[in-house]
Amino acid sequence: MNILEKITNELDMLSKSERKVAEVILASPNTVIHSSIAALAKQANISEPTVNRFCRRLDTKGYPDFKLHLAQSLANGTPYVNRHVDENDTADEYTSKIFESSMASLELARKSLDANDINRSVDVLTQANKISFFGLGASAIVAHDAQNKFFRFNVPVVYFDDILMQRMSAINSRQGDVVVVISHTGRTKSLVEVASLAKENDATVIGITTTGTPLAKECSIVLSVDVSEDTDLYMPMSSRIAQLALIDVLATGFTLRRGSKFRDNLKKVKDSLRSSRFERKD
Amino acid sequence: MNILEKITNELDMLSKSERKVAEVILASPNTVIHSSIAALAKQANISEPTVNRFCRRLDTKGYPDFKLHLAQSLANGTPYVNRHVDENDTADEYTSKIFESSMASLELARKSLDANDINRSVDVLTQANKISFFGLGASAIVAHDAQNKFFRFNVPVVYFDDILMQRMSAINSRQGDVVVVISHTGRTKSLVEVASLAKENDATVIGITTTGTPLAKECSIVLSVDVSEDTDLYMPMSSRIAQLALIDVLATGFTLRRGSKFRDNLKKVKDSLRSSRFERKD
DNA sequence: CAGATTTATGAAATAAAATTTCATTTTTTC
DNA sequence: GAAAAAATGAAATTTTATTTCATAAATCTG
């Protein structure tokens, strides 16, 4: 994808003159994107048609098209890929890597989500008699956050990060109740059991998990949040960030479905916190 | 910087014909980067010189230079800008907007962070006798998450999302203890008080908050997490995602500082969870 | 290793694209 | 509503890129 890498890879396949072009480009790509074909040819001490042939060999239409690809490759280095933290990274380096990996995960997760499933979930949530959010470990905080959000909507909502409470709650659930089960791996035994218990009791079970996991199979609706957890140093990192974004999406969907009067209410909830805060001077 | 935003911003400054050009470009920028000036002029039903003048008005040298800028702006997929959710958005639209806003916030937050402060924080954390994480509301889950992470490091760590517990804990703190106070607004009275109490008792206070807030003034080290909370429908959204990413950074810094033997330990912690999960078939 | 064949290269010609010039139209101002 | 200013496009010009083709270099063959 990145044209600079491609040039490096295909360096052997190039002829002598074409390689001269490649070297000039690799040496200062930022100059090249502002050069005409004539300027580049002169710089590399070869003729203009050679530059043109070089561009075609890299599967671009010609010189202007090549410059476009080059410009894109230079924009922000390589944008938002999962970069691995290295033992010797400086604070600045690992900070960037972690933030960028988080962004990459959000991008991935967004692609794995299906708008239909979100719509159905919002439908079900707005009509629920009771909403429960269940998660364990890192997903517990996602459930915790969901409670914090849905609580503002003045609907009966609970969250449990305790296996026994989750089981009891699942067993007591009934038609019209919605149980949201959150698990990145989708393989946590007790959570899969809880999902199936809730389902047996006619609750609607929404799973926030990775595609195709045991948990996914037990759910009425699956909201797929696929991320690559490569950067993780044995800790869940990107997965919960993507899950939180999904909670935001559900909460937003909920408020939109409820209409504008409802949102005025939310403002009141927020305003009620004002007295607990220091005034803003500006 | 981003030329698409720039076009949007300067839409009012443009003449009628130039605006036509702008609209065609905004509608399908990806087509435009492969069009000649003639093709674009035809598309917008105006003449070629108009396109040229349009390009110059955006401070580019001419059409080819403009295309270069456009290509670079498009290189990061869709640029992550804070897009507002609209009343009539479809599920697909608000999902995209929320994910993109989260990404935009991560980008912003990353820029507001100072590597030096992170380094100092990691120093302090690795040497702490006891670590406490305090947050309220949406920031409570960030504190919760931090506990979940640092707990794996086998260091004494607690988290409180209860005002009284926080106060008591702060009063009992002493030199060598680290108190991490998390608040997006940095104006929550009780948290600011807790920070100052902890400081009076010689604990090191790390604040995860916005630059220049009352809380920031009470802290030994401030980790600035600035995000624009525009998209929020009266709920904290992007801020906590950025804060969580920062927790990841601190946790990562911690493990790096502790060396490779320590990381083997983390692997053991993770492996200990295996029996609670269903096996992977692949 | 000579000769044949293929491949690589650049000069020149051509084509394409972008820019400038300038006359005409539209809009604004008083 | 006339004069001035700004906007616009047709045509000319210039710049840039591509194609053609002749020649040179490299590779192969017996």
Side-chain angles (χ1 to χ4, degrees):
Chain A
M1 193 73 267
N2 185 306
I3 197 112
L4 284 170
E5 287 176 49
K6 195 168 181 180
I7 295 173
T8 314
N9 287 153
E10 301 203 358
L11 219 55
D12 318 323
M13 277 80 149
L14 300 176
S15 75
K16 202 166 42 174
S17 302
E18 284 169 350
R19 202 165 311 138
K20 280 190 201 168
V21 183
E23 276 156 16
V24 171
I25 294 167
L26 290 173
S28 52
N30 273 304
T31 315
V32 173
I33 57 171
H34 296 117
S35 309
S36 69
I37 193 167
L40 176 55
K42 198 174 171 191
Q43 182 86 18
N45 265 310
I46 43 80
S47 71
E48 301 180 25
T50 301
V51 175
N52 197 269
R53 281 186 288 260
F54 166 85
C55 295
R56 298 234 168 102
R57 203 176 289 269
L58 288 152
D59 301 318
T60 62
K61 282 193 193 170
Y63 185 66
D65 189 42
F66 168 79
K67 282 211 293 188
L68 235 52
H69 281 268
L70 187 58
Q72 295 206 321
S73 301
L74 290 172
N76 277 349
T78 317
Y80 314 139
V81 285
N82 235 306
R83 294 199 291 151
H84 294 256
V85 174
D86 182 271
E87 184 119 26
N88 304 310
D89 278 350
T90 63
D92 207 46
E93 285 166 342
Y94 65 74
T95 304
S96 292
K97 285 182 181 176
I98 289 172
F99 271 81
E100 280 176 25
S101 296
S102 298
M103 289 188 255
S105 292
L106 283 172
E107 199 164 290
L108 250 177
R110 196 263 158 280
K111 281 183 196 145
S112 73
L113 279 167
D114 183 79
N116 260 326
D117 293 333
I118 289 175
N119 240 329
R120 279 172 61 215
S121 302
V122 172
D123 274 346
V124 164
L125 287 169
T126 42
Q127 277 148 42
N129 293 325
K130 191 180 123 190
I131 306 176
S132 319
F133 291 96
F134 297 160
L136 293 171
S139 300
I141 68 130
V142 179
H144 190 167
D145 184 69
Q147 185 204 34
N148 188 294
K149 287 233 153 52
F150 280 81
F151 174 78
R152 293 162 194 248
F153 303 161
N154 201 18
V155 290
V157 55
V158 290
Y159 110 88
F160 294 119
D161 57 1
D162 173 300
I163 302 186
L164 294 179
M165 295 296 279
Q166 290 175 352
R167 281 189 87 92
M168 290 191 284
S169 177
I171 285 169
N172 282 329
S173 63
R174 61 186 64 177
Q175 181 138 36
D177 289 355
V178 178
V179 174
V180 183
V181 184
I182 307 161
S183 165
H184 167 57
T185 63
R187 306 182 171 280
T188 310
K189 285 177 189 166
S190 74
L191 273 179
V192 177
E193 281 166 28
V194 162
S196 98
L197 276 175
K199 207 175 168 192
E200 276 167 31
N201 286 281
D202 298 319
T204 305
V205 180
I206 300 178
I208 297 182
T209 185
T210 307
T211 316
T213 58
L215 174 58
K217 293 191 181 76
E218 296 297 326
C219 299
S220 323
I221 307 176
V222 180
L223 295 171
S224 312
V225 179
D226 300 346
V227 299
S228 63
E229 287 272 8
D230 283 334
T231 5
D232 299 15
L233 292 162
Y234 311 121
M235 295 179 286
M237 304 209 312
S238 328
S239 61
R240 73 201 195 311
I241 286 183
Q243 289 165 354
L244 282 174
L246 174 57
I247 296 295
D248 290 345
V249 170
L250 293 177
T252 302
F254 193 102
T255 59
L256 290 180
R257 195 67 57 92
R258 282 292 177 89
S260 58
K261 224 176 244 164
F262 180 71
R263 287 197 292 283
D264 291 346
N265 238 51
L266 279 181
K267 189 160 170 10
K268 279 188 208 147
V269 173
K270 192 183 181 186
D271 291 345
S272 76
L273 297 172
R274 186 169 299 162
S275 67
S276 70
R277 299 214 172 112
F278 287 115
E279 290 282 324
R280 251 213 157 80
K281 279 156 225 157
D282 48 36
Chain B
M1 193 71 269
N2 182 307
I3 197 110
L4 283 170
E5 286 178 56
K6 195 168 182 181
I7 295 173
T8 314
N9 286 154
E10 303 205 355
L11 218 53
D12 318 323
M13 278 79 149
L14 299 176
S15 74
K16 200 166 44 174
S17 302
E18 285 168 350
R19 202 166 311 138
K20 280 190 201 168
V21 183
E23 276 156 16
V24 171
I25 293 167
L26 290 174
S28 52
N30 274 303
T31 316
V32 172
I33 57 171
H34 295 116
S35 308
S36 68
I37 194 168
L40 176 56
K42 199 174 170 192
Q43 182 85 17
N45 265 309
I46 44 80
S47 72
E48 302 181 23
T50 302
V51 176
N52 199 269
R53 281 187 287 260
F54 167 84
C55 297
R56 296 237 169 101
R57 203 177 288 268
L58 288 152
D59 301 318
T60 62
K61 284 191 190 172
Y63 185 66
D65 189 41
F66 168 80
K67 282 211 295 187
L68 235 52
H69 281 267
L70 186 60
Q72 294 206 321
S73 300
L74 291 170
N76 313 347
T78 325
Y80 305 127
V81 286
N82 233 307
R83 295 199 290 151
H84 294 256
V85 174
D86 182 89
E87 183 121 25
N88 304 309
D89 279 350
T90 63
D92 207 46
E93 284 167 342
Y94 65 72
T95 304
S96 292
K97 285 182 182 177
I98 288 172
F99 271 81
E100 279 174 27
S101 296
S102 298
M103 290 188 256
S105 292
L106 283 173
E107 200 165 287
L108 250 176
R110 196 263 157 280
K111 280 182 197 148
S112 73
L113 279 166
D114 183 80
N116 259 327
D117 293 333
I118 288 175
N119 241 329
R120 278 172 61 213
S121 302
V122 171
D123 274 346
V124 164
L125 286 168
T126 43
Q127 276 148 42
N129 292 324
K130 192 179 124 190
I131 306 174
S132 318
F133 291 97
F134 298 160
L136 292 171
S139 299
I141 69 132
V142 180
H144 191 166
D145 185 69
Q147 184 202 37
N148 188 295
K149 288 231 152 51
F150 280 81
F151 175 77
R152 293 163 194 248
F153 304 162
N154 202 19
V155 290
V157 55
V158 290
Y159 111 88
F160 294 118
D161 57 1
D162 173 303
I163 303 185
L164 294 179
M165 296 296 280
Q166 291 174 354
R167 281 188 87 91
M168 290 191 284
S169 177
I171 286 170
N172 282 328
S173 64
R174 60 185 64 177
Q175 180 138 38
D177 289 355
V178 178
V179 174
V180 184
V181 184
I182 307 162
S183 166
H184 168 57
T185 63
R187 306 183 171 281
T188 311
K189 286 177 190 168
S190 74
L191 273 179
V192 177
E193 280 167 27
V194 162
S196 96
L197 276 174
K199 208 175 167 191
E200 276 168 30
N201 286 281
D202 298 318
T204 305
V205 181
I206 300 177
I208 297 182
T209 185
T210 307
T211 315
T213 58
L215 174 58
K217 293 191 182 76
E218 296 297 327
C219 299
S220 323
I221 307 175
V222 180
L223 296 171
S224 312
V225 180
D226 299 346
V227 299
S228 62
E229 288 272 7
D230 284 334
T231 6
D232 298 14
L233 292 162
Y234 312 119
M235 294 180 287
M237 304 210 309
S238 327
S239 61
R240 72 201 198 308
I241 286 183
Q243 289 166 352
L244 282 174
L246 174 56
I247 296 295
D248 290 344
V249 170
L250 293 177
T252 302
F254 194 101
T255 59
L256 289 181
R257 195 67 56 93
R258 282 293 177 87
S260 56
K261 225 176 241 164
F262 180 71
R263 287 196 293 285
D264 292 345
N265 239 51
L266 279 181
K267 189 159 170 14
K268 279 186 207 147
V269 173
K270 191 182 182 187
D271 291 346
S272 75
L273 296 173
R274 185 169 300 163
S275 67
S276 69
R277 299 216 171 110
F278 287 116
E279 290 282 322
R280 251 214 156 81
K281 278 156 223 156
D282 47 37

